[in-house]
Amino acid sequence: QKEVEQNSGPLSVPEGAIASLNCTYSDRGSQSFFWYRQYSGKSPELIMSIYSNGDKEDGRFTAQLNKASQYVSLLIRDSQPSDSATYLCAVNKDQAGTALIFGKGTTLSVSS
Amino acid sequence: EAQVTQNPRYLITVTGKKLTVTCSQNMNHEYMSWYRQDPGLGLRQIYYSMNVEVTDKGDVPEGYKVSRKEKRNFPLILESPSPNQTSLYFCASTTGTGSYEQYFGPGTRLTVT
């Protein structure tokens, strides 16, 4: 059974700080990795995708992937109260892209 | 606007009364999926479809049916709903051609009493 693990949190950071969210996955053959943001009662929103080792930056967000360690992280710089949400890590379930396997999410709280 | 739509958004029903939740996407995506989200269990895939008339079970298919007669639509059918199907349901779609990025509909909150 392929698994994606995240700390449930809550992770609390002050406004303007860097929030660091972590995720590990069990299937060494996984190729595609995603971070979704989900506000309470709303649908998951894709914020980052990463496919190769290293860092990928998009605005205040940086995704980091280390396939050898089976580890993917999301850094949020200059955190804002509007970043308060649950962040879901997801990994492709199979090569065909039929589904994603999601972690249970980390709740981030940014205080002003 | 590119989007995935679901209807209804909220539904309260009784045990055994058949219901259908509709899902439609306007992005010409080949792949569509249904997920349910429950506290402590996260998002779990119910069924998926790789193209018209091609569907397959996900991780938690029991008690659900789907159909894919048109590329844009992928309805979820509960023929005899039970209280353990009370959940938040999401439809998602992806191009399926080398991209695994899934885009989600707004969700349907279902309560079965």
Side-chain angles (χ1 to χ4, degrees):
Chain A
Q1 181 80 355
K2 299 175 183 178
E3 294 182 342
V4 176
E5 299 285 342
Q6 297 180 253
N7 289 326
S8 61
L11 173 65
S12 297
V13 301
E15 185 175 357
I18 296 175
S20 178
L21 304 158
N22 304 315
C23 171
T24 59
Y25 58 95
S26 63
D27 183 9
R28 189 169 289 277
S30 298
Q31 298 177 323
S32 305
F33 308 85
F34 307 92
W35 284 99
Y36 285 81
R37 178 176 62 198
Q38 187 176 27
Y39 295 111
S40 181
K42 303 296 185 182
S43 61
E45 173 192 9
L46 180 64
I47 55 172
M48 289 288 285
S49 58
I50 187 166
Y51 301 95
S52 56
N53 278 330
D55 295 358
K56 179 182 178 182
E57 185 175 322
D58 184 359
R60 296 186 296 112
F61 299 99
T62 299
Q64 300 174 316
L65 175 60
N66 184 327
K67 289 186 178 180
S69 300
Q70 296 176 236
Y71 177 92
V72 58
S73 65
L74 179 70
L75 300 178
I76 306 175
R77 289 183 300 281
D78 188 23
S79 294
Q80 301 297 309
S82 59
D83 294 326
S84 298
T86 296
Y87 289 80
L88 305 173
C89 175
V91 174
N92 66 296
K93 182 179 182 181
D94 53 37
Q95 303 279 351
T98 58
L100 298 176
I101 299 175
F102 286 85
K104 294 179 182 176
T106 298
T107 300
L108 173 65
S109 176
V110 181
S111 55
S112 57
Chain B
E1 179 189 356
Q3 60 182 351
V4 180
T5 58
Q6 294 178 228
N7 282 292
R9 297 288 314 280
Y10 303 91
L11 179 60
I12 301 174
T13 190
V14 296
T15 299
K17 185 176 181 181
K18 180 179 179 179
L19 66 91
T20 299
V21 183
T22 65
C23 173
S24 182
Q25 50 92 6
N26 63 0
M27 296 169 280
N28 201 37
H29 284 171
E30 292 186 356
Y31 288 14
M32 298 184 74
S33 291
W34 277 102
Y35 293 85
R36 61 179 288 174
Q37 188 173 35
D38 303 288
L41 297 176
L43 276 161
R44 296 176 293 168
Q45 190 188 43
I46 302 170
Y47 267 95
Y48 65 91
S49 169
M50 297 173 70
N51 214 324
V52 175
E53 303 293 0
V54 180
T55 64
D56 208 346
K57 298 177 180 179
D59 297 319
V60 287
E62 293 77 21
Y64 304 94
K65 287 179 60 177
V66 293
S67 69
R68 187 96 180 270
K69 294 182 174 24
E70 304 169 282
K71 195 172 186 178
R72 64 183 292 127
N73 295 324
F74 189 43
L76 179 69
I77 303 158
L78 286 72
E79 293 207 326
S80 184
S82 62
N84 65 11
Q85 293 179 297
T86 293
S87 187
L88 180 57
Y89 291 86
F90 292 104
C91 180
S93 74
T94 179
T95 60
T97 52
S99 169
Y100 302 121
E101 297 178 351
Q102 299 219 349
Y103 297 90
F104 285 80
T108 296
R109 186 168 293 280
L110 172 66
T111 301
V112 183
T113 62

